[in-house]
Amino acid sequence: MRTRRRDMTDEFETHRQHLQAVAYRMLGSASEAEDAVQEAWLRLSRSDTAAVENMGGWLTTVVARVCLDMLRSRRARREDYVGSWLPEPVVTIENGPEDEAVLADSVGLALLVVLDTLTPAERLAFVLHDMFGLPFEEIAPIVERSEMATRQLASRARRRVRGAAPATDPDLRDQRRVIAAFLAASRNGDFEALLEVLDPDVVFRVDAGGVPPRARPPVEGAEAVAAQILERGAPFARFARPAIVNGNAGVVVIPRKQPVAVVGFVVAEGRIAEIDVIADPAKLRGLSR
């Protein structure tokens, strides 16, 4: 019995990173993703899997079902959320060369924000098929639809993602230069300099945990965003430390010992197209100093 459990544990661990990646893209929360993966382990430990030929596929299906249930429950709770809801970030503080493996496996905040606008079934179909290559015949039973209907779910999701997710400039050095100019203009209170680095249609979102009065609706447009930054965000620019936020250049705001915000940026064609400020304490608990 001990040998079987040890073998089961070893096999599960070989799939853990993949399962975590699936769950994070489904949920947009590293902590909730870990909960989903842990639930998959519990179900594995209680199941007779002697006849399972593809353990990775079996576990992926279990995690997908768990995430689907979590998303449906979340949608019911989200009705009372004030302001913007943003994903729980994956942050790497820059101390040297980036971890290429982490960057290769990252998914941007902007894409996760778009995924959160999909229905749970659309999100599952898109993530499993378009991101991880699962065939529709395996996805259909999870969402309890026909294979054709599941294809339609993924197609609708694909159209919304392509129409909403901005294309980010790929070079991290270029991203950093634009963000550095943004921070300098913020610290100096330079309205015109801010307009130079902001896209005319820039979107500024703050997730403060859905608690008023800090919670605010998104702000759109370069002038409105620049005014908001100078009114509320300039002091934080002094404490901004460079970081990699979900694979893109960003900052962590650390005025003392603990971070108070993570800021993700979308830099497109040399200007900032999106600014996402995650200041929900619950979403910052996993960050080390």
Side-chain angles (χ1 to χ4, degrees):
M1 178 65 73
R2 289 182 180 178
T3 300
R4 178 182 176 277
R5 188 171 184 83
R6 185 167 58 248
D7 291 344
M8 183 187 298
T9 301
D10 291 343
E11 183 163 14
F12 181 83
E13 290 302 323
T14 65
H15 299 291
R16 179 183 288 275
Q17 186 174 356
H18 167 76
L19 298 174
Q20 188 79 20
V22 171
Y24 182 66
R25 284 154 180 78
M26 283 289 299
L27 300 169
S29 166
S31 57
E32 289 185 359
E34 183 59 39
D35 290 342
V37 172
Q38 185 62 25
E39 177 62 24
W41 161 248
L42 293 175
R43 295 189 185 187
L44 173 64
S45 65
R46 295 194 298 259
S47 302
D48 182 2
T49 57
V52 175
E53 296 181 0
N54 180 359
M55 183 58 70
W58 187 90
L59 288 168
T60 299
T61 297
V62 171
V63 165
R65 291 184 188 277
V66 172
C67 290
L68 189 61
D69 290 341
M70 294 172 73
L71 284 174
R72 287 168 174 164
S73 175
R74 177 199 288 172
R75 284 177 74 87
R77 299 194 310 270
R78 191 71 60 76
E79 294 177 359
D80 299 326
Y81 205 91
V82 180
S84 300
W85 182 92
L86 293 171
E88 182 181 325
V90 176
V91 180
T92 303
I93 301 295
E94 296 187 77
N95 291 317
E98 291 80 25
D99 184 337
E100 296 298 331
V102 171
L103 295 181
D105 192 44
S106 63
V107 55
L109 288 177
L111 176 56
L112 289 171
V113 169
V114 177
L115 291 179
D116 200 58
T117 67
L118 306 177
T119 67
E122 287 173 343
R123 186 167 185 167
L124 185 144
F126 178 82
V127 168
L128 292 186
H129 181 267
D130 286 48
M131 292 185 165
F132 293 97
L134 264 68
F136 287 115
E137 62 187 36
E138 294 182 19
I139 302 172
I142 304 175
V143 293
E144 299 179 334
R145 310 282 179 94
S146 68
E147 184 176 336
M148 180 61 70
T150 305
R151 288 179 180 274
Q152 292 172 349
L153 286 173
S155 179
R156 286 200 300 270
R158 198 176 300 121
R159 287 195 298 271
R160 292 175 69 177
V161 169
R162 287 175 177 170
T168 306
D169 291 350
D171 193 318
L172 283 172
R173 291 169 297 182
D174 291 340
Q175 294 178 28
R176 290 192 194 99
R177 279 195 290 269
V178 174
I179 293 170
F182 167 83
L183 293 174
S186 300
R187 286 191 293 266
N188 295 331
D190 192 332
F191 185 81
E192 294 301 324
L194 276 176
L195 293 183
E196 286 294 318
V197 296
L198 295 175
D199 184 270
D201 298 317
V202 61
V203 178
F204 175 62
R205 291 179 286 251
V206 178
D207 182 347
V211 180
R214 295 178 66 198
R216 296 284 195 281
V219 179
E220 300 182 10
E223 291 194 1
V225 170
Q228 186 85 344
I229 293 296
L230 293 184
E231 177 186 346
R232 302 177 63 207
F236 288 99
R238 301 195 344 253
F239 305 107
R241 180 177 179 182
I244 298 295
V245 179
N246 286 66
N248 294 316
V251 299
V252 177
V253 181
I254 311 178
R256 295 181 181 83
K257 293 183 177 181
Q258 297 297 325
V260 298
V262 169
V263 187
F265 297 86
V266 172
V267 178
E269 298 183 0
R271 289 190 168 189
I272 296 173
E274 293 190 10
I275 305 171
D276 291 320
V277 179
I278 301 163
D280 180 356
K283 294 177 182 176
L284 303 178
R285 285 190 193 125
L287 298 181
S288 59
R289 182 177 176 184

